[in-house]
Protein backbone atom coordinates (compact mmCIF):
# COMPACT_ATOMS: atom_id res chain seq x y z
CA UNK A 1 0.00 0.00 0.00
CA UNK A 2 2.86 2.43 0.76
CA UNK A 3 4.39 1.67 -2.64
CA UNK A 4 1.09 2.13 -4.49
CA UNK A 5 0.42 5.39 -2.65
CA UNK A 6 3.75 7.17 -2.96
CA UNK A 7 6.05 5.20 -5.24
CA UNK A 8 8.76 3.97 -2.87
CA UNK A 9 10.44 0.64 -3.70
CA UNK A 10 8.44 -2.25 -2.28
CA UNK A 11 11.61 -3.82 -0.86
CA UNK A 12 12.03 -0.82 1.48
CA UNK A 13 8.29 -0.52 2.21
CA UNK A 14 8.50 -4.06 3.60
CA UNK A 15 11.94 -4.00 5.19
CA UNK A 16 11.90 -0.45 6.56
CA UNK A 17 8.41 1.07 6.75
CA UNK A 18 6.38 -1.91 7.94
CA UNK A 19 9.10 -3.18 10.28
CA UNK A 20 9.88 0.20 11.83
CA UNK A 21 6.21 1.04 12.39
CA UNK A 22 5.51 -2.33 14.03
CA UNK A 23 8.65 -2.08 16.15
CA UNK A 24 7.73 1.43 17.28
CA UNK A 25 4.21 0.40 18.37
CA UNK A 26 5.55 -2.68 20.16
CA UNK A 27 8.27 -0.65 21.93
CA UNK A 28 5.91 1.99 23.34
CA UNK A 29 3.49 -0.75 24.43
CA UNK A 30 6.36 -2.31 26.35
CA UNK A 31 7.67 0.99 27.70
CA UNK A 32 4.53 2.39 29.25
CA UNK A 33 4.64 0.52 32.60
CA UNK A 34 8.34 1.23 33.00
CA UNK A 35 8.05 4.99 33.28
CA UNK A 36 7.78 6.33 36.83
CA UNK A 37 6.60 9.60 38.34
CA UNK A 38 8.67 11.58 40.86
CA UNK A 39 8.61 12.65 44.49
CA UNK A 40 10.39 15.97 45.02
CA UNK A 41 12.96 16.36 47.84
CA UNK A 42 10.88 18.91 49.83
CA UNK A 43 10.70 19.36 53.65
CA UNK A 44 9.36 16.77 56.06
CA UNK A 45 5.97 18.43 56.53
CA UNK A 46 4.86 17.94 53.00
CA UNK A 47 5.04 15.54 50.17
CA UNK A 48 5.16 16.80 46.59
CA UNK A 49 4.19 14.28 43.93
CA UNK A 50 5.14 15.15 40.37
CA UNK A 51 2.84 13.08 38.23
CA UNK A 52 2.10 12.72 34.55
CA UNK A 53 -1.40 12.71 33.11
CA UNK A 54 -2.59 12.15 29.56
CA UNK A 55 -3.38 15.42 27.76
CA UNK A 56 -6.72 14.27 26.36
CA UNK A 57 -7.31 14.28 22.61
CA UNK A 58 -4.21 14.31 20.41
CA UNK A 59 -4.59 15.30 16.75
CA UNK A 60 -1.86 13.82 14.53
CA UNK A 61 -1.13 15.22 11.04
CA UNK A 62 1.51 13.47 8.95
CA UNK A 63 3.14 13.71 5.49
CA UNK A 64 3.38 11.20 2.67
CA UNK A 65 7.10 10.34 2.56
CA UNK A 66 7.06 7.65 5.29
CA UNK A 67 3.31 7.58 5.93
CA UNK A 68 3.10 4.74 8.43
CA UNK A 69 6.38 5.39 10.28
CA UNK A 70 5.60 9.09 10.78
CA UNK A 71 2.16 8.14 12.12
CA UNK A 72 3.53 5.39 14.40
CA UNK A 73 6.13 7.73 15.97
CA UNK A 74 3.23 9.83 17.26
CA UNK A 75 0.24 7.57 17.77
CA UNK A 76 2.18 4.89 19.66
CA UNK A 77 3.44 7.14 22.52
CA UNK A 78 0.21 9.18 22.51
CA UNK A 79 -1.98 6.07 22.93
CA UNK A 80 0.44 4.43 25.38
CA UNK A 81 0.28 7.57 27.54
CA UNK A 82 -3.51 7.23 27.72
CA UNK A 83 -4.75 9.75 25.14
CA UNK A 84 -7.38 9.56 22.43
CA UNK A 85 -5.94 10.03 18.95
CA UNK A 86 -7.34 11.46 15.72
CA UNK A 87 -4.93 10.83 12.83
CA UNK A 88 -5.10 12.77 9.57
CA UNK A 89 -2.83 11.13 7.00
CA UNK A 90 -1.62 13.00 3.93
CA UNK A 91 -4.19 13.16 1.14
CA UNK A 92 -1.46 11.63 -1.04
CA UNK A 93 -1.00 8.50 1.10
CA UNK A 94 -4.03 7.55 3.21
CA UNK A 95 -4.10 3.77 2.62
CA UNK A 96 -1.90 2.44 5.42
CA UNK A 97 -3.43 4.77 8.04
CA UNK A 98 -6.87 3.35 7.25
CA UNK A 99 -5.52 -0.20 7.42
CA UNK A 100 -3.84 0.61 10.74
CA UNK A 101 -7.22 1.69 12.16
CA UNK A 102 -8.76 -1.63 11.11
CA UNK A 103 -5.89 -3.52 12.70
CA UNK A 104 -6.17 -1.46 15.91
CA UNK A 105 -9.79 -2.55 16.34
CA UNK A 106 -8.78 -6.14 15.65
CA UNK A 107 -6.02 -5.85 18.25
CA UNK A 108 -8.52 -4.74 20.91
CA UNK A 109 -8.14 -0.94 21.04
CA UNK A 110 -11.65 0.23 22.06
CA UNK A 111 -13.67 1.92 19.29
CA UNK A 112 -13.26 5.69 19.39
CA UNK A 113 -9.81 5.68 21.00
CA UNK A 114 -7.83 5.65 17.75
CA UNK A 115 -9.54 7.41 14.85
CA UNK A 116 -8.43 8.12 11.28
CA UNK A 117 -9.92 11.03 9.34
CA UNK A 118 -8.46 11.29 5.84
CA UNK A 119 -8.80 14.58 4.02
CA UNK A 120 -7.05 17.61 2.59
CA UNK A 121 -4.90 19.89 4.74
CA UNK A 122 -6.94 23.08 4.51
CA UNK A 123 -10.11 21.15 5.41
CA UNK A 124 -9.45 18.14 7.65
CA UNK A 125 -6.05 19.40 8.89
CA UNK A 126 -7.25 22.90 9.81
CA UNK A 127 -10.40 21.50 11.42
CA UNK A 128 -8.18 19.47 13.76
CA UNK A 129 -5.69 22.27 14.45
CA UNK A 130 -8.46 24.77 15.22
CA UNK A 131 -10.71 22.40 17.18
CA UNK A 132 -11.49 23.52 20.73
CA UNK A 133 -11.69 19.93 22.02
CA UNK A 134 -8.35 18.83 20.60
CA UNK A 135 -5.73 19.32 23.32
CA UNK A 136 -2.55 18.70 21.34
CA UNK A 137 -1.45 18.65 17.72
CA UNK A 138 1.50 16.49 16.73
CA UNK A 139 2.49 17.51 13.21
CA UNK A 140 5.10 16.30 10.75
CA UNK A 141 5.42 18.12 7.44
CA UNK A 142 6.79 21.26 5.84
CA UNK A 143 8.04 24.26 7.80
CA UNK A 144 5.50 26.44 5.98
CA UNK A 145 2.49 24.44 7.21
CA UNK A 146 4.17 23.83 10.59
CA UNK A 147 4.27 27.58 11.27
CA UNK A 148 0.58 27.78 10.42
CA UNK A 149 -0.11 24.94 12.89
CA UNK A 150 1.40 27.04 15.72
CA UNK A 151 -0.71 30.03 14.66
CA UNK A 152 -3.89 27.92 14.67
CA UNK A 153 -3.01 26.50 18.10
CA UNK A 154 -2.77 30.06 19.40
CA UNK A 155 -5.96 31.14 17.63
CA UNK A 156 -8.00 28.35 19.19
CA UNK A 157 -7.44 26.83 22.63
CA UNK A 158 -3.65 27.12 22.95
CA UNK A 159 -3.40 23.40 22.34
CA UNK A 160 0.11 22.00 22.67
CA UNK A 161 1.70 21.99 19.21
CA UNK A 162 4.68 19.81 18.31
CA UNK A 163 6.20 20.14 14.88
CA UNK A 164 8.70 17.95 13.01
CA UNK A 165 9.55 20.01 9.93
CA UNK A 166 11.78 20.43 6.89
CA UNK A 167 15.54 20.02 6.72
CA UNK A 168 18.61 20.75 4.61
CA UNK A 169 21.16 18.62 6.38
CA UNK A 170 24.90 19.23 5.93
CA UNK A 171 27.36 16.36 5.63
CA UNK A 172 30.94 17.52 6.33
CA UNK A 173 33.79 15.33 5.14
CA UNK A 174 37.26 16.35 6.32
CA UNK A 175 40.43 15.19 4.62
CA UNK A 176 41.22 12.93 7.59
CA UNK A 177 37.99 10.97 7.08
CA UNK A 178 38.76 7.45 8.39
CA UNK A 179 37.17 5.56 5.49
CA UNK A 180 36.51 7.47 2.28
CA UNK A 181 34.61 4.60 0.62
CA UNK A 182 32.21 4.35 3.56
CA UNK A 183 31.72 8.11 3.56
CA UNK A 184 30.92 8.09 -0.16
CA UNK A 185 28.48 5.17 0.19
CA UNK A 186 26.72 6.94 3.07
CA UNK A 187 26.62 10.32 1.34
CA UNK A 188 25.17 8.95 -1.88
CA UNK A 189 22.99 6.23 -0.34
CA UNK A 190 21.35 8.51 2.23
CA UNK A 191 20.61 11.36 -0.15
CA UNK A 192 18.98 9.11 -2.76
CA UNK A 193 17.15 6.85 -0.30
CA UNK A 194 13.36 7.18 -0.64
CA UNK A 195 13.97 9.11 -3.92
CA UNK A 196 15.48 11.91 -1.82
CA UNK A 197 12.10 12.46 -0.17
CA UNK A 198 13.51 12.31 3.36
CA UNK A 199 13.47 15.24 5.79
CA UNK A 200 16.95 14.27 6.99
CA UNK A 201 18.52 13.65 3.56
CA UNK A 202 22.14 14.92 3.71
CA UNK A 203 21.61 17.08 0.64
CA UNK A 204 24.48 19.53 1.34
CA UNK A 205 27.80 17.75 0.96
CA UNK A 206 30.70 19.86 2.22
CA UNK A 207 34.03 18.25 1.34
CA UNK A 208 37.51 19.52 2.22
CA UNK A 209 39.37 20.68 -0.89
CA UNK A 210 42.27 18.21 -0.81
CA UNK A 211 39.99 15.14 -1.13
CA UNK A 212 37.16 16.67 -3.12
CA UNK A 213 38.09 15.40 -6.59
CA UNK A 214 38.67 11.86 -5.32
CA UNK A 215 35.38 11.95 -3.39
CA UNK A 216 33.46 13.25 -6.39
CA UNK A 217 34.89 10.58 -8.68
CA UNK A 218 33.90 7.80 -6.27
CA UNK A 219 30.44 9.32 -5.76
CA UNK A 220 29.76 9.59 -9.48
CA UNK A 221 30.73 5.93 -9.90
CA UNK A 222 27.89 4.97 -7.53
CA UNK A 223 25.19 7.13 -9.13
CA UNK A 224 24.08 4.67 -11.90
CA UNK A 225 23.15 2.21 -9.16
CA UNK A 226 20.26 4.56 -8.28
CA UNK A 227 18.68 4.71 -11.74
CA UNK A 228 14.91 4.74 -11.16
CA UNK A 229 12.90 1.61 -11.92
CA UNK A 230 9.50 0.05 -11.27
CA UNK A 231 8.91 0.35 -7.50
CA UNK A 232 6.91 -2.90 -7.43
CA UNK A 233 9.95 -4.86 -8.64
CA UNK A 234 11.69 -6.21 -5.51
CA UNK A 235 15.10 -5.47 -7.06
CA UNK A 236 14.41 -1.72 -7.37
CA UNK A 237 16.18 0.66 -4.99
CA UNK A 238 14.99 3.99 -6.46
CA UNK A 239 11.30 4.39 -7.27
CA UNK A 240 8.98 7.20 -8.36
CA UNK A 241 8.38 10.62 -6.85
CA UNK A 242 5.02 10.94 -5.15
CA UNK A 243 3.22 12.94 -7.85
CA UNK A 244 3.53 15.35 -10.75
CA UNK A 245 3.65 18.41 -8.48
CA UNK A 246 6.63 17.04 -6.56
CA UNK A 247 8.41 16.08 -9.78
CA UNK A 248 7.88 19.56 -11.22
CA UNK A 249 9.22 21.12 -8.01
CA UNK A 250 12.37 18.98 -8.21
CA UNK A 251 12.90 19.76 -11.92
CA UNK A 252 12.37 23.48 -11.23
CA UNK A 253 15.12 23.41 -8.58
CA UNK A 254 17.44 21.56 -10.97
CA UNK A 255 16.90 24.29 -13.59
CA UNK A 256 17.37 27.01 -10.97
CA UNK A 257 20.65 25.45 -9.81
CA UNK A 258 22.00 25.64 -13.36
CA UNK A 259 20.78 29.22 -13.83
CA UNK A 260 22.55 30.26 -10.62
CA UNK A 261 25.86 28.79 -11.82
CA UNK A 262 26.05 25.36 -10.21
CA UNK A 263 27.53 22.67 -12.45
CA UNK A 264 25.22 19.76 -13.24
CA UNK A 265 27.49 16.70 -13.34
CA UNK A 266 24.96 13.83 -13.21
CA UNK A 267 21.30 13.28 -14.01
CA UNK A 268 18.93 16.22 -14.00
CA UNK A 269 16.08 14.90 -16.14
CA UNK A 270 12.74 13.16 -15.94
CA UNK A 271 12.88 9.53 -17.14
CA UNK A 272 10.40 6.72 -17.78
CA UNK A 273 7.71 9.28 -18.65
CA UNK A 274 6.02 6.69 -20.90
CA UNK A 275 5.01 4.70 -17.78
CA UNK A 276 2.82 7.57 -16.58
CA UNK A 277 4.95 7.73 -13.40
CA UNK A 278 7.08 10.60 -12.08
CA UNK A 279 10.70 9.51 -12.16
CA UNK A 280 13.74 11.78 -11.90
CA UNK A 281 17.34 10.70 -12.42
CA UNK A 282 19.69 10.79 -9.44
CA UNK A 283 21.20 14.25 -9.81
CA UNK A 284 24.51 15.72 -8.67
CA UNK A 285 25.62 19.37 -8.69
CA UNK A 286 29.17 20.59 -8.17
CA UNK A 287 30.31 24.11 -7.37
CA UNK A 288 27.32 24.93 -5.20
CA UNK A 289 27.67 28.00 -2.99
CA UNK A 290 25.65 28.78 0.09
CA UNK A 291 23.85 31.68 -1.54
CA UNK A 292 22.18 29.49 -4.17
CA UNK A 293 18.58 28.42 -3.70
CA UNK A 294 19.55 24.75 -4.07
CA UNK A 295 21.83 25.13 -1.03
CA UNK A 296 19.26 26.87 1.14
CA UNK A 297 15.87 25.38 0.26
CA UNK A 298 14.62 21.86 0.75
CA UNK A 299 14.22 20.21 -2.67
CA UNK A 300 12.81 16.90 -1.41
CA UNK A 301 14.07 14.93 -4.40
CA UNK A 302 17.16 13.00 -5.55
CA UNK A 303 19.56 15.96 -5.74
CA UNK A 304 23.01 16.08 -4.14
CA UNK A 305 24.94 19.37 -3.92
CA UNK A 306 28.73 19.35 -3.68
CA UNK A 307 30.52 22.29 -2.09
CA UNK A 308 34.23 22.64 -1.48
CA UNK A 309 34.23 23.54 2.19
CA UNK A 310 36.83 25.94 3.54
CA UNK A 311 34.83 27.01 6.60
CA UNK A 312 32.66 23.93 6.90
CA UNK A 313 31.02 24.55 10.28
CA UNK A 314 30.06 28.14 9.49
CA UNK A 315 28.65 27.05 6.14
CA UNK A 316 26.80 24.12 7.69
CA UNK A 317 25.13 26.39 10.24
CA UNK A 318 24.26 29.03 7.65
CA UNK A 319 20.74 27.65 7.18
CA UNK A 320 17.30 28.28 8.61
CA UNK A 321 17.08 24.53 9.26
CA UNK A 322 18.69 22.32 11.92
CA UNK A 323 17.42 18.77 11.64
CA UNK A 324 20.54 16.64 11.25
CA UNK A 325 24.20 16.94 10.33
CA UNK A 326 27.25 14.72 9.97
CA UNK A 327 30.99 15.03 10.31
CA UNK A 328 33.64 12.61 9.06
CA UNK A 329 37.07 12.76 10.71
CA UNK A 330 39.46 10.44 12.54
CA UNK A 331 40.42 13.20 14.98
CA UNK A 332 38.36 12.69 18.14
CA UNK A 333 38.86 16.28 19.30
CA UNK A 334 37.67 17.66 16.00
CA UNK A 335 34.72 15.24 15.98
CA UNK A 336 33.55 16.36 19.44
CA UNK A 337 34.19 20.03 18.78
CA UNK A 338 32.35 20.07 15.45
CA UNK A 339 29.48 17.93 16.78
CA UNK A 340 28.93 20.48 19.54
CA UNK A 341 29.22 23.45 17.21
CA UNK A 342 26.74 22.16 14.63
CA UNK A 343 23.22 23.46 15.18
CA UNK A 344 21.16 20.32 14.64
CA UNK A 345 18.93 17.95 16.59
CA UNK A 346 21.17 15.01 15.65
CA UNK A 347 24.83 14.89 14.61
CA UNK A 348 26.40 11.74 13.17
CA UNK A 349 30.12 11.10 13.44
CA UNK A 350 31.62 8.84 10.75
CA UNK A 351 28.20 7.49 9.74
CA UNK A 352 24.81 8.65 8.50
CA UNK A 353 21.27 7.47 9.14
CA UNK A 354 21.87 5.27 12.19
CA UNK A 355 18.46 4.70 13.69
CA UNK A 356 16.94 3.23 16.83
CA UNK A 357 13.58 3.71 18.50
CA UNK A 358 15.38 4.41 21.82
CA UNK A 359 16.94 7.60 20.44
CA UNK A 360 15.13 10.96 20.02
CA UNK A 361 14.54 12.42 16.56
CA UNK A 362 13.75 16.05 15.82
CA UNK A 363 15.19 19.41 14.93
CA UNK A 364 16.20 22.85 16.10
CA UNK A 365 15.65 26.24 14.44
CA UNK A 366 12.99 26.03 11.72
CA UNK A 367 13.16 22.24 11.60
CA UNK A 368 10.63 22.12 14.39
CA UNK A 369 9.84 21.84 18.08
CA UNK A 370 9.84 18.63 20.11
CA UNK A 371 11.21 15.13 19.67
CA UNK A 372 9.72 11.93 18.32
CA UNK A 373 10.89 8.46 19.44
CA UNK A 374 12.49 7.37 22.73
CA UNK A 375 11.02 7.91 26.21
CA UNK A 376 11.30 11.69 25.64
CA UNK A 377 8.28 11.47 23.32
CA UNK A 378 6.10 10.92 26.40
CA UNK A 379 6.85 14.56 27.34
CA UNK A 380 4.74 15.65 24.36
CA UNK A 381 1.68 13.60 25.20
CA UNK A 382 1.49 14.09 28.97
CA UNK A 383 1.00 17.07 31.28
CA UNK A 384 2.92 17.39 34.53
CA UNK A 385 0.73 17.73 37.61
CA UNK A 386 2.09 18.59 41.03
CA UNK A 387 0.18 17.31 44.05
CA UNK A 388 1.19 18.79 47.43
CA UNK A 389 0.19 16.72 50.46
CA UNK A 390 0.47 18.13 54.00
CA UNK A 391 1.98 15.69 56.48
CA UNK A 392 1.29 16.34 60.18
CA UNK A 393 3.31 13.59 61.74
CA UNK A 394 4.35 13.57 65.43
CA UNK A 395 7.51 11.67 64.43
P1 LIG B 1 2.97 19.37 4.03
O1 LIG B 1 3.35 20.34 5.09
O2 LIG B 1 2.49 19.90 2.73
O3 LIG B 1 1.79 18.41 4.55
C1 LIG B 1 1.93 17.66 5.74
C2 LIG B 1 0.54 17.35 6.28
O4 LIG B 1 -0.08 18.56 6.62
C3 LIG B 1 -0.38 16.64 5.29
O5 LIG B 1 -1.18 15.70 5.97
C4 LIG B 1 -1.24 17.79 4.77
O6 LIG B 1 -2.53 17.38 4.34
C5 LIG B 1 -1.35 18.64 6.01
N1 LIG B 1 -1.67 20.06 5.75
C6 LIG B 1 -1.38 20.79 4.63
N2 LIG B 1 -1.87 22.04 4.74
C7 LIG B 1 -2.46 22.11 5.98
C8 LIG B 1 -3.13 23.13 6.69
N3 LIG B 1 -3.33 24.33 6.16
N4 LIG B 1 -3.60 22.85 7.94
C9 LIG B 1 -3.40 21.64 8.50
N5 LIG B 1 -2.78 20.62 7.87
C10 LIG B 1 -2.31 20.84 6.62
O7 LIG B 1 4.21 18.40 3.84
P2 LIG B 1 4.36 17.16 2.85
O8 LIG B 1 4.65 17.67 1.47
O9 LIG B 1 3.24 16.20 3.03
O10 LIG B 1 5.66 16.45 3.46
C11 LIG B 1 6.95 16.83 3.14
C12 LIG B 1 7.55 17.67 4.25
O11 LIG B 1 7.54 16.95 5.48
C13 LIG B 1 8.99 18.01 3.99
O12 LIG B 1 9.21 19.37 4.22
C14 LIG B 1 9.75 17.15 5.00
O13 LIG B 1 11.00 17.67 5.37
C15 LIG B 1 8.80 17.11 6.12
N6 LIG B 1 9.10 15.96 7.00
C16 LIG B 1 9.71 16.18 8.22
C17 LIG B 1 10.03 15.11 9.04
C18 LIG B 1 10.70 15.32 10.39
O14 LIG B 1 10.69 14.40 11.19
N7 LIG B 1 11.26 16.48 10.67
C19 LIG B 1 9.76 13.80 8.63
C20 LIG B 1 9.14 13.62 7.39
C21 LIG B 1 8.82 14.70 6.57
Amino acid sequence: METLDMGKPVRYARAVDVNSAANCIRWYGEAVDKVYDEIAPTGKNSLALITREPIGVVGVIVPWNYPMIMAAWKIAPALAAGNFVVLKPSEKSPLTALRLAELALEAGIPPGVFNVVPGFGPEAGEALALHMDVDCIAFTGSTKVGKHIHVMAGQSNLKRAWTELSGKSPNIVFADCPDLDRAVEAAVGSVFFNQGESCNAPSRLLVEASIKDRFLEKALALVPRYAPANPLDPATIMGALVDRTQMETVLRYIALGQQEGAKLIAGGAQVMGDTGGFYVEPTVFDGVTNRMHIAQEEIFGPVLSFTEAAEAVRMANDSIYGLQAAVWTRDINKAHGVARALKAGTVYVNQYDEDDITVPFGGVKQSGIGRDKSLHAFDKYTELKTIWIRIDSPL
Side-chain angles (χ1 to χ4, degrees):
M1 282 190 273
E2 297 291 57
T3 299
L4 292 176
D5 256 352
M6 56 73 65
K8 72 172 68 201
V10 70
R11 67 187 288 158
Y12 295 136
R14 284 194 182 135
V16 179
D17 296 68
V18 174
N19 274 346
S20 299
N23 181 52
C24 170
I25 292 168
R26 195 179 296 123
W27 191 82
Y28 280 106
E30 271 291 317
V32 71
D33 62 357
K34 296 166 191 67
V35 179
Y36 293 77
D37 290 342
E38 301 161 38
I39 297 175
T42 54
K44 67 178 178 148
N45 292 331
S46 58
L47 182 66
L49 309 179
I50 303 168
T51 63
R52 281 182 185 277
E53 295 185 339
I55 297 186
V57 177
V58 176
V60 174
I61 301 177
V62 290
W64 46 263
N65 61 336
Y66 296 95
M68 202 168 29
I69 298 180
M70 295 299 100
W73 284 3
K74 298 180 193 311
I75 61 179
L79 287 174
N83 298 283
F84 292 81
V85 170
V86 182
L87 165 65
K88 192 207 87 62
S90 167
E91 59 277 16
K92 299 179 184 181
S93 59
L95 293 181
T96 46
L98 292 166
R99 181 71 185 122
L100 208 55
E102 289 173 348
L103 291 173
L105 283 177
E106 224 175 87
I109 304 241
V113 172
F114 171 52
N115 311 276
V116 176
V117 182
F120 290 97
E123 291 161 11
E126 295 209 359
L128 261 186
L130 288 168
H131 204 289
M132 296 301 282
D133 293 329
V134 171
D135 305 285
C136 168
I137 281 281
F139 174 86
T140 298
S142 61
T143 294
K144 181 166 170 259
V145 178
K147 288 182 177 181
H148 188 45
I149 294 286
H150 287 286
V151 170
M152 289 189 283
Q155 279 171 341
S156 53
N157 58 346
L158 206 62
K159 53 179 65 66
R160 279 74 187 115
W162 305 108
T163 47
E164 298 280 351
L165 307 176
S166 316
K168 192 76 190 172
S169 300
N171 185 9
I172 303 174
V173 187
F174 288 113
D176 64 353
C177 163
D179 184 338
L180 205 58
D181 288 326
R182 188 146 51 90
V184 173
E185 286 269 351
V188 174
S190 299
V191 85
F192 294 145
F193 188 71
N194 214 42
Q195 301 70 245
E197 297 162 325
S198 298
C199 53
N200 64 337
S203 51
R204 290 191 292 148
L205 187 53
L206 310 175
V207 183
E208 202 164 348
S210 61
I211 56 163
K212 203 202 108 196
D213 288 347
R214 207 148 45 99
F215 197 103
L216 201 54
E217 192 184 321
K218 285 176 182 284
L220 287 177
L222 292 184
V223 168
R225 195 197 277 180
Y226 295 90
N230 179 359
L232 290 168
D233 179 344
T236 295
I237 61 171
M238 172 90 115
L241 297 180
V242 66
D243 60 10
R244 179 182 298 282
T245 310
Q246 189 62 24
M247 181 185 71
E248 285 172 355
T249 301
V250 172
L251 294 174
R252 203 166 44 244
Y253 272 113
I254 292 172
L256 189 60
Q258 290 172 283
Q259 278 162 27
E260 291 187 330
K263 195 166 148 209
L264 182 68
I265 52 172
Q270 181 191 1
V271 286
M272 295 167 62
D274 54 332
T275 62
F278 308 108
Y279 298 87
V280 172
E281 291 176 308
T283 298
V284 183
F285 276 110
D286 191 14
V288 176
T289 70
N290 252 20
R291 296 276 60 83
M292 294 178 184
H293 284 87
I294 58 168
Q296 290 295 333
E297 294 174 18
E298 186 187 52
I299 300 174
F300 226 53
V303 182
L304 178 61
S305 298
F306 259 89
T307 300
E308 199 173 285
E311 298 172 274
V313 174
R314 189 191 56 74
M315 286 173 85
N317 285 338
D318 176 21
S319 166
I320 61 168
Y321 299 117
L323 190 56
Q324 301 201 325
V327 52
W328 297 75
T329 174
R330 67 172 76 239
D331 176 343
I332 192 164
N333 293 310
K334 190 158 52 169
H336 274 288
V338 172
R340 284 189 191 173
L342 287 169
K343 298 201 184 330
T346 299
V347 178
Y348 299 104
V349 177
N350 297 334
Q351 56 168 248
Y352 205 90
D353 251 354
E354 191 59 62
D355 180 48
D356 199 275
I357 189 66
T358 57
V359 179
F361 185 103
V364 299
K365 300 201 279 183
Q366 294 189 37
S367 287
I369 297 174
R371 295 289 179 273
D372 279 332
K373 301 170 68 187
S374 83
L375 295 179
H376 293 280
F378 283 129
D379 294 342
K380 303 201 300 191
Y381 306 115
T382 52
E383 290 282 19
L384 284 183
K385 177 183 273 182
T386 303
I387 303 174
W388 282 99
I389 300 174
R390 169 94 196 162
I391 299 178
D392 288 320
S393 167
L395 301 176

